[in-house]
Amino acid sequence: MSEGKRIGLLGGSFNPAHKGHLHITFGALNRLKLDEVWWMVSPQNPLKAASSMGNLEFRMKSAKELAEDPRIVVTDIESQMGTVYTVDTLEALKKKFPKHKFVWLMGADNLRQIPKWRGWQRIFRMGPIAIFPRPSYSRRALAGKASRRFRRFQIKPTRAPRLATMRAPAWVFLRTQPNTTSATRIRARLARKNG
């Protein structure tokens, strides 16, 4: 993790990692002209039950097995830094890597629920954000509370290659073909197979 790069941050449970994560990652690398995307495997999502979460070692392993491209960096940096909430993680990363230009990456499902996150308005003001479509969420997310609150800071997708260097708040909704892969469905299928 060297200095001075344009880095996409994809936080998540990766429970397990799947093709949807790759879809967002390659979309971000190409459309936002990023150098790397860091898959930040979360020790515990505060909005999810701990009982439904695979252990961190298993989730890291599943992410590393899938992330074959050298531009994808799989990390448990939140565990290392002792952060749980995105707002704290972003603050710590900006201090630890002051030369990097970070872009927070997330699906439309998270844009819809971000008002439930601790310090969600600060997240928008801490760095640029790129949103990717998720089946059945995109329209509601774009009409939701966060989109309305930060509407005037939304940029056109044609300006996305410059997003990493823009002053926050700045965000873009990248209209790409959504990927329908779901970790919940993968876990259910594995449970049926092993049950």
Coordinates of all heavy atoms in Angstrom, one line a residue, residues 11-12 17 19 28 43-44 66 68 89 109 112 115 121 129 135 152 160 163 165 177 194:
G11 N -15.7 -1.3 1.3 CA -15.9 -1.9 2.6 C -17.0 -2.9 2.6 O -18.0 -2.7 1.8
G12 N -16.9 -4.0 3.3 CA -18.0 -4.9 3.4 C -17.7 -6.1 4.2 O -16.6 -6.3 4.7
A17 N -17.0 -13.3 -0.4 CA -16.7 -12.5 -1.6 C -17.3 -13.1 -2.8 O -17.4 -14.4 -2.9 CB -15.2 -12.3 -1.7
K19 N -18.8 -12.4 -7.3 CA -18.7 -11.7 -8.6 C -19.2 -10.3 -8.5 O -18.8 -9.4 -9.3 CB -19.3 -12.5 -9.7 CG -18.5 -13.8 -10.0 CD -19.2 -14.5 -11.1 CE -18.4 -15.8 -11.4 NZ -19.1 -16.7 -12.3
A28 N -15.2 0.5 -11.1 CA -14.5 1.6 -10.4 C -13.2 1.8 -11.0 O -12.8 3.0 -11.3 CB -14.4 1.4 -8.9
P43 N -14.5 -6.4 10.3 CA -14.5 -7.3 11.4 C -16.0 -7.6 11.8 O -16.3 -8.8 12.1 CB -13.8 -6.6 12.5 CG -13.6 -5.2 12.1 CD -13.8 -5.1 10.6
Q44 N -16.9 -6.6 11.7 CA -18.3 -6.8 12.0 C -19.1 -5.6 11.6 O -18.8 -4.5 12.0 CB -18.5 -7.0 13.6 CG -19.9 -7.1 14.0 CD -20.7 -8.2 13.4 OE1 -20.3 -9.3 13.4 NE2 -21.9 -7.9 12.9
L66 N -10.7 -14.8 -4.7 CA -11.4 -14.2 -5.8 C -10.6 -13.0 -6.4 O -10.7 -12.8 -7.6 CB -12.8 -13.7 -5.3 CG -13.8 -13.3 -6.4 CD1 -14.2 -14.5 -7.2 CD2 -15.0 -12.7 -5.7
E68 N -7.9 -11.9 -8.0 CA -6.7 -12.3 -8.7 C -6.0 -11.1 -9.3 O -4.8 -11.2 -9.7 CB -7.0 -13.3 -9.7 CG -7.5 -14.6 -9.1 CD -7.9 -15.7 -10.1 OE1 -8.1 -15.3 -11.3 OE2 -8.0 -16.8 -9.7
T89 N -13.2 4.9 10.1 CA -12.3 4.2 9.2 C -11.7 5.3 8.2 O -10.5 5.4 8.0 CB -12.9 3.1 8.5 OG1 -13.3 2.1 9.4 CG2 -11.9 2.4 7.5
D109 N -27.9 -0.1 -2.7 CA -28.6 -0.5 -1.5 C -28.0 0.2 -0.2 O -28.8 0.6 0.7 CB -28.4 -2.0 -1.3 CG -27.0 -2.5 -1.4 OD1 -26.2 -1.9 -2.1 OD2 -26.7 -3.6 -0.8
R112 N -29.2 3.9 0.0 CA -30.5 3.9 0.5 C -30.5 3.9 2.1 O -31.2 4.6 2.7 CB -31.4 2.8 0.0 CG -32.8 2.8 0.5 CD -33.8 2.1 -0.4 NE -35.1 1.9 0.2 CZ -36.0 2.8 0.4 NH1 -35.8 4.1 0.0 NH2 -37.1 2.5 0.9
P115 N -28.4 6.8 5.7 CA -28.8 7.6 6.8 C -28.8 6.9 8.2 O -28.9 7.5 9.2 CB -30.2 8.1 6.4 CG -30.1 8.1 4.9 CD -29.3 6.9 4.6
Q121 N -23.5 12.0 7.3 CA -23.3 13.3 6.6 C -21.8 13.7 6.5 O -21.4 14.2 5.5 CB -24.2 14.4 7.2 CG -25.7 14.1 6.9 CD -26.6 15.3 7.3 OE1 -26.3 16.4 7.0 NE2 -27.6 15.0 8.1
I129 N -17.6 10.0 -3.3 CA -18.3 8.7 -3.3 C -18.8 8.3 -4.6 O -19.3 9.1 -5.4 CB -19.5 8.8 -2.3 CG1 -19.0 9.2 -0.9 CG2 -20.3 7.5 -2.3 CD1 -20.1 9.5 0.1
P135 N -29.8 -4.3 -8.2 CA -31.2 -4.6 -8.7 C -32.2 -4.2 -7.6 O -32.0 -4.5 -6.4 CB -31.2 -6.1 -8.9 CG -29.7 -6.4 -9.2 CD -29.0 -5.4 -8.3
R152 N -27.2 18.5 -4.8 CA -26.4 19.5 -5.6 C -25.0 19.2 -5.7 O -24.3 19.9 -6.5 CB -26.6 20.9 -5.0 CG -26.1 21.1 -3.6 CD -26.6 22.5 -3.0 NE -26.1 22.6 -1.6 CZ -25.1 23.4 -1.3 NH1 -24.5 24.1 -2.2 NH2 -24.8 23.5 0.0
A160 N -16.7 11.5 -14.0 CA -16.3 10.4 -13.1 C -14.8 10.2 -13.1 O -14.2 10.0 -12.0 CB -17.0 9.1 -13.3
L163 N -13.2 12.2 -10.4 CA -13.9 12.2 -9.0 C -12.8 12.1 -7.9 O -13.0 12.8 -6.9 CB -14.9 11.0 -8.9 CG -15.6 10.9 -7.6 CD1 -16.6 12.1 -7.4 CD2 -16.4 9.6 -7.5
T165 N -10.0 13.3 -7.5 CA -9.3 14.5 -7.1 C -10.3 15.7 -6.8 O -9.8 16.8 -6.5 CB -8.4 15.0 -8.3 OG1 -9.3 15.2 -9.5 CG2 -7.4 13.9 -8.6
Q177 N -24.6 -2.0 -15.9 CA -25.4 -3.1 -15.8 C -25.3 -3.7 -14.4 O -24.2 -4.1 -14.0 CB -25.0 -4.2 -16.9 CG -25.9 -5.4 -16.9 CD -27.3 -5.1 -17.4 OE1 -27.5 -4.2 -18.2 NE2 -28.3 -5.7 -16.8
N194 N -25.1 -28.2 2.2 CA -24.4 -28.9 3.3 C -25.4 -29.4 4.4 O -24.9 -30.1 5.3 CB -23.4 -27.9 4.0 CG -22.3 -27.5 3.0 OD1 -22.0 -28.2 2.1 ND2 -21.8 -26.3 3.2

